[in-house]
């Protein structure tokens, strides 16, 4: 009888540590729900043939503390083989991957790979803390459009998230200020806005912001990087000759040896491309 009681207690203890995540099955429905609740949607990109996904399910996502922590988001599970377009959109390179998005579909953060419960909750907390910061900054900008400090901070976050379209209006307002009133890192903000656009394949918009760095902040390291990325963007647009010319200028004028070396490598890559083939290279 004692043994039976002990076994029963152990089973009860084990059950207490297990819980079920309330997965939504439709991303569209989850986004609609998020619009009403202001929560982030947590998209779990998984695979039916994935050992680490199975471990994530059994060891982490079934943990009571994790399920409780995830009450702050709207969880939805998708399988990459069933939704390849969505996986490509979010640049999923491996599973499990957890992408956190706003109701607009804009990404707010990600957690990649298997994590034990405590670490997963810690990473989730970081995503939600930054999102709270973003929401508060948006409120500041809406309440006081002349709050350039809030605009600059929000623009930096959008650039880190590679969200050029969200950063651009803020950056445009900041770059319209007299230089003495602009943020000290204005050149860096412009550079990262260009990189954010380029990393999403919008090289035309990338060139606009890279050009502003080169023209408005010459003789800076940011301008040297902008010149390098201009060569890259031109090459990716198919303008190979212009790209090579731009990169050769970087090689001859940049003070930073690392930038010069990258320019040499990229120039040689574009030169090696067959005349009839579209140039390929790394994304911004």
């Amino acid at each position: 009888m004692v043994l039976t009681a002990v076994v029963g207690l152990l089973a009860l203890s084990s059950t207490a540590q297990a819980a079920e995540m309330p997965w939504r099955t439709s991303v569209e429905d989850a986004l609609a729900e998020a619009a009403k609740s202001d929560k982030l949607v947590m998209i779990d990109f998984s695979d039916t043939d994935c050992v680490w996904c199975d471990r994530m399910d059994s060891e982490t996502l079934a943990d009571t503390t994790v399920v409780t922590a995830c009450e702050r988001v709207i969880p939805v599970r998708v399988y990459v083989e069933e939704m390849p377009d969505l996986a490509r959109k979010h640049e999923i390179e491996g599973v499990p991957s957890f992408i956190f998005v706003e109701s607009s579909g804009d990404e707010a953060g990600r957690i990649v790979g298997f994590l034990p419960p405590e670490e997963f909750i810690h990473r989730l907390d970081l995503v939600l803390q930054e999102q709270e910061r973003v929401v508060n900054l948006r409120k500041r900008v809406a309440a006081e459009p002349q709050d350039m400090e809030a605009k600059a901070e929000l623009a930096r976050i959008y650039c880190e998230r590679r969200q050029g379209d969200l950063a651009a209006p803020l950056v445009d307002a900041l770059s319209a200020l007299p230089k003495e009133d602009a943020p000290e890192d204005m050149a860096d903000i412009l550079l990262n806005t260009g990189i954010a656009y380029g990393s999403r394949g919008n090289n035309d918009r990338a060139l606009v912001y890279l050009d502003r760095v080169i023209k408005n902040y010459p003789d800076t390291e940011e301008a040297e990087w902008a010149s390098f990325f201009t060569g890259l963007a031109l090459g990716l647009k198919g303008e190979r000759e212009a790209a090579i010319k731009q990169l050769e200028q970087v090689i001859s004028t940049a003070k930073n040896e690392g930038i010069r070396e990258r320019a040499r490598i990229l120039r040689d890559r574009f030169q090696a491309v067959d005349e009839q083939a579209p140039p390929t290279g790394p994304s911004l």
Side-chain angles (χ1 to χ4, degrees), residues 31-65:
L31 292 173
E33 183 180 344
K36 298 176 182 178
S37 65
D38 291 329
K39 291 182 179 180
L40 292 177
V41 174
M42 180 181 77
I43 307 176
D44 172 18
F45 285 91
S46 189
D47 198 328
T48 54
D49 185 23
C50 168
V51 173
W52 290 109
C53 299
D54 293 340
R55 280 196 63 187
M56 196 74 192
D57 276 348
S58 61
E59 298 180 27
T60 302
L61 298 178
D63 186 274
T64 302
T65 58

Side-chain angles (χ1 to χ4, degrees), residues 169-185:
L170 303 169
V171 176
D172 291 346
L174 293 168
S175 61
L177 295 170
K179 275 192 177 181
E180 59 270 20
D181 296 329
E184 292 183 1
D185 62 339

Side-chain angles (χ1 to χ4, degrees), residues 248-260:
E248 287 179 340
Q249 181 180 352
V250 174
I251 294 167
S252 63
T253 61
K255 298 176 182 178
N256 185 306
E257 173 58 31
I259 297 175
R260 293 201 303 272

Side-chain angles (χ1 to χ4, degrees), residues 210-230:
L210 296 173
D211 186 60
R212 289 188 194 176
V213 182
I214 296 168
K215 289 182 176 178
N216 297 329
Y217 298 90
D219 303 320
T220 64
E221 187 168 295
E222 287 84 0
E224 292 183 359
W225 278 115
S227 296
F228 166 78
F229 283 115
T230 294

Side-chain angles (χ1 to χ4, degrees), residues 148-168:
M148 295 301 168
E149 181 181 344
K151 286 187 175 182
E153 191 172 351
L154 191 54
R156 294 184 191 103
I157 294 174
Y158 286 149
C159 287
E160 289 175 3
R161 293 180 175 183
R162 298 188 299 163
Q163 295 170 338
D165 285 336
L166 294 179

Side-chain angles (χ1 to χ4, degrees), residues 133-152 154 158 170:
R133 182 172 156 223
V134 167
V135 170
N136 289 334
L137 287 169
R138 286 172 177 165
K139 290 178 180 177
R140 280 178 59 183
V141 171
E144 182 48 69
Q146 299 307 312
D147 188 342
M148 295 301 168
E149 181 181 344
K151 286 187 175 182
L154 191 54
Y158 286 149
L170 303 169

